[in-house]
Amino acid sequence: MRGKVNLDVAAIRRDFPILAQEVKGNRLVYLDNAASAQRPRAVLEALNRYYERDHANVHRGIHELSSRATRAYEGARETVARFIGAGDVGEVVFVRGTTEAINLVASAWGSYAIGEGDEILLTLLEHHSNIVPWQLLARRVGAQLKFVDIDDEGRLRMEQLEGLLTERTRLVAVTHVSNGLGTINPVGEIVTAARRVGARVLVDGAQAAPHLPLDVKALDCDFYAFSGHKMCGPTGIGVLWARRELLEEMDPYQGGGEMIELVELDRSTYKAPPHKYEAGTPNIADAVGLAAAIDYLTDIGLDRIGAHEHELVAYALERAASIPGFRAFGPGRGRAGVLSFELGDLHPHDVAQVLNDRGIAVRAGHHCNQPLMRRLGVTATTRASFYLYNDRDDVDALCDGLRAVIEFFS
Ligand code: 7TS
C-alpha cells in the first residue's frame, strides 16, 4: 500500500514510462482511458521476463520451459480468479477481450438457451459489443430484443426494467459501468429482478473491472466479461467468468487443439472447463501480463483507485461549470471516471483536435454507443476518462484547453 487515503500520483506516474513524453511540445495529458489504459513498467517487465526466460507452448510439453509456461499461464488464471472473487478457478476463461467474451456466450450458450419467441433484455447504455452479438443471435433463432431506457440523468429506469421482464425473458445483458456516461448500474438489483422471471444475467464489466473492487459471487450474476487493456494489461487478452454449471452444459465455442480429450473420426470429447473454451494455443504471454497488471492495481487498491477517479471527476465538473457552453452528460453524482460533454455547438472532433494540439488525448465520437447517442439527441460527444495516474493538473490542462478551443473557434 502506498499511503492510506490519497494516491501518490507522482510515484504512480513514474511507473508508466509512456506518460513521461511530450506531445506537440506539451506534457502528455492522457484522458482516453476508457478506450485503453497505459501499462506500468511491472507489466512490461513481466512480458519481457516471460519471453526472455520461460516461453514455450502450454499444457503439452514435458520439458522445463513448457512446464514453466504452463505454471505462469495457470497462475495468471488463479490471479484473475482471486481478483474477481471467483471461488472456482475453472470458471475463468481467457479470451481476447470483452467483445469475444460476449460473442462466446451468445454463440455457445445463446444457441441452445434462447429460441423462437424468447426475449433478451438490453439497455440503451450498452456498448455495441453488448448489442450486435445479441442481434445476430436473435435473428438466427427468432428471438426478440428489448431495451431499457434511461432517465434524463443517464440512469437506468429500473421500474421500466421490471416491467419489461416477462416469463419469456431468457437473458438480461447489461453493462456494469457505462463507457458513454459513467453511470454505475445497480447490478445486484438487476440480478434480483431477473431471477424473479428465471432469466440469466450477463454483465459487461469492461469499464468496471479496471475501476471498482469486484466480487462476482456477491453480484450473483451468471456471466461477467472484461478486457485486459483497459486495466493496465496487454491488448488481446480478456476474461469471461461464468458459473461452472453453465460452462459444463454449454457446447464449445471453437474446436481445435488444447480443448479436447479424445478425438474420433466423427466425434470428440472435450476437456473440463475452462480448457473446453480455449481452443488452440492461447495468448500465454498476455495472460501473464494481465496477472502482473492485476497485482499492480491490487497493490494500490481498487477502492482507492475508484475514489481517486471519483474525486477527479467531481473536480472536473466543478472547474468546467464556468466554461461557456460546457454541458456534461450523465449522472451528477455517484458515477465512474468517465466525463462525456458538449461544448456549445462545436463538433467534438474539432474540440478533440484543438486539445490534441496541446498534448491532451480525449475521445470524440459515438464511443460505440450509437443508440445511447441517439437517445441523448447528439451524434457524438467529447469524452475525457480518468485513471489512477491522472491528477488535478490534467483536469486543469483540460479546462484550460477547452477555453482555448472556444477562443480558437470564436
Ligand atoms: N463494453 C464496454 C462497456 C466498453 O467500454 C468496451 C470498449 C467494450 C465492451 C469492448 O471492449 P473490447 O476490449 O472488446 O474492445 N470501449 C471502448 C470505448 O469506450 N472507447 O473505445 C473502446
Side-chain angles (χ1 to χ4, degrees), residues 105-329:
V105 177
S107 161
W109 176 80
S111 56
Y112 77 84
I114 298 184
E116 196 170 344
D118 285 343
E119 295 166 6
I120 301 167
L121 187 55
L122 308 172
T123 86
L124 285 186
L125 291 174
E126 301 316 309
H127 186 279
H128 295 164
S129 64
N130 200 25
I131 299 177
V132 184
W134 306 117
Q135 291 174 341
L136 291 169
L137 173 70
R139 182 141 22 104
R140 209 163 52 237
V141 303
Q144 199 195 342
L145 303 183
K146 291 182 168 179
F147 288 85
V148 182
D149 194 11
I150 51 172
D151 65 18
D152 290 341
E153 265 211 295
R155 295 186 197 280
L156 286 183
R157 292 179 50 193
M158 288 300 290
E159 80 297 343
Q160 192 188 61
L161 183 142
E162 302 260 357
L164 286 171
L165 287 166
T166 74
E167 78 286 355
R168 297 310 302 262
T169 312
R170 295 284 169 266
L171 176 74
V172 180
V174 64
T175 193
H176 195 166
V177 172
S178 157
N179 65 307
L181 297 179
T183 313
I184 303 172
N185 286 325
V187 170
E189 241 178 277
I190 293 170
V191 171
T192 305
R195 294 286 181 249
R196 281 203 282 275
V197 296
R200 297 283 183 185
V201 178
L202 175 140
V203 180
D204 172 351
Q207 299 294 344
H211 307 282
L212 310 172
L214 193 58
D215 185 338
V216 289
K217 279 268 177 324
L219 286 178
D220 200 32
C221 57
D222 299 293
F223 304 100
Y224 199 97
F226 58 97
S227 302
H229 69 97
K230 294 186 199 286
M231 50 192 293
C232 301
T235 53
I237 189 81
V239 172
L240 170 68
W241 172 86
R243 287 179 187 279
R244 177 171 275 277
E245 67 263 27
L246 292 169
L247 291 176
E248 302 272 3
E249 71 187 37
M250 278 155 55
D251 264 342
Y253 172 52
Q254 294 178 334
E258 301 262 355
M259 50 78 74
I260 48 80
E261 208 116 66
L262 200 68
V263 178
E264 307 280 0
L265 288 184
D266 59 347
R267 83 188 74 101
S268 302
T269 55
Y270 314 124
K271 280 190 182 150
H275 304 292
K276 179 178 166 187
Y277 298 96
E278 295 180 2
T281 300
N283 190 351
I284 311 161
D286 292 327
V288 171
L290 174 58
I294 288 175
D295 286 342
Y296 180 83
L297 295 174
T298 308
D299 184 40
I300 293 168
L302 267 291
D303 46 351
R304 297 171 71 223
I305 293 171
H308 171 72
E309 294 163 5
H310 191 85
E311 197 266 332
L312 278 183
V313 172
Y315 177 64
L317 284 169
E318 180 192 312
R319 279 233 40 201
S322 60
I323 298 173
F326 178 91
R327 185 168 75 94
F329 297 100

Side-chain angles (χ1 to χ4, degrees), residues 373-395:
M373 294 295 123
R374 234 168 268 131
R375 172 64 177 83
L376 297 173
V378 297
T379 52
T381 72
T382 310
R383 183 187 69 185
S385 50
F386 302 94
Y387 210 5
L388 70 168
Y389 38 66
N390 293 120
D391 57 14
R392 287 187 169 220
D393 289 348
D394 293 338
V395 174

